[in-house]
Amino acid sequence: MSDHDEADLLEQVRQAWRDVLDVDDVGLDVDFLAAGGNSLLLVMLWEELDVLTTRELRVSDLFAHGTIRAQAALLSSTGDAEVPVAGADRRSALLGRTRRDEVVS
């Protein structure tokens, strides 16, 4: 995907967020829930973004890739490449645990 295509996709994702969240603007690296989103709005966002990709897109993918930048990267991938999960380490830190802690407990 060219830089121009990536910029267009990034702007399309950003516009979908604006529409769903009913805001004028939101930062590229702000988490959807922190921007005022909730699970119902995430489903609405999924409906907006699903048409922008040829890959199978699940609502859980959008939750795992919670920023505009991460979602645009997800949409531009073919599904074969591993797309980094934005904020996973931060979420674990906020929760004060890791998956290993959950298994050990």
Side-chain angles (χ1 to χ4, degrees):
M1 183 174 275
S2 72
D3 288 343
H4 180 69
D5 292 341
E6 288 178 21
D8 286 346
L9 183 58
L10 194 64
E11 186 52 38
Q12 288 175 308
V13 173
R14 181 180 248 173
Q15 186 59 51
W17 278 47
R18 288 180 192 130
D19 294 345
V20 168
L21 295 173
D22 195 25
V23 296
D24 292 331
D25 202 16
V26 65
L28 296 176
D29 297 308
V30 174
D31 185 79
F32 185 75
L33 299 176
N38 59 44
S39 58
L40 294 176
L41 291 174
L42 193 64
V43 171
M44 292 173 61
L45 181 64
W46 170 79
E47 290 176 337
E48 296 278 329
L49 299 181
D50 190 46
V51 298
L52 300 179
T53 186
T54 57
R55 68 174 286 143
E56 180 182 340
L57 186 64
R58 299 178 308 255
V59 173
S60 60
D61 294 331
L62 299 181
F63 183 75
H65 300 83
T67 67
I68 293 171
R69 190 181 314 274
Q71 289 175 0
L74 176 70
L75 296 177
S76 68
S77 73
T78 61
D80 299 332
E82 185 70 25
V83 178
V85 176
D89 292 333
R90 183 171 50 91
R91 281 192 294 275
S92 293
L94 288 172
L95 292 172
R97 65 179 189 264
T98 64
R99 286 186 184 193
R100 179 185 164 137
D101 293 336
E102 292 173 10
V103 173
V104 174
S105 299

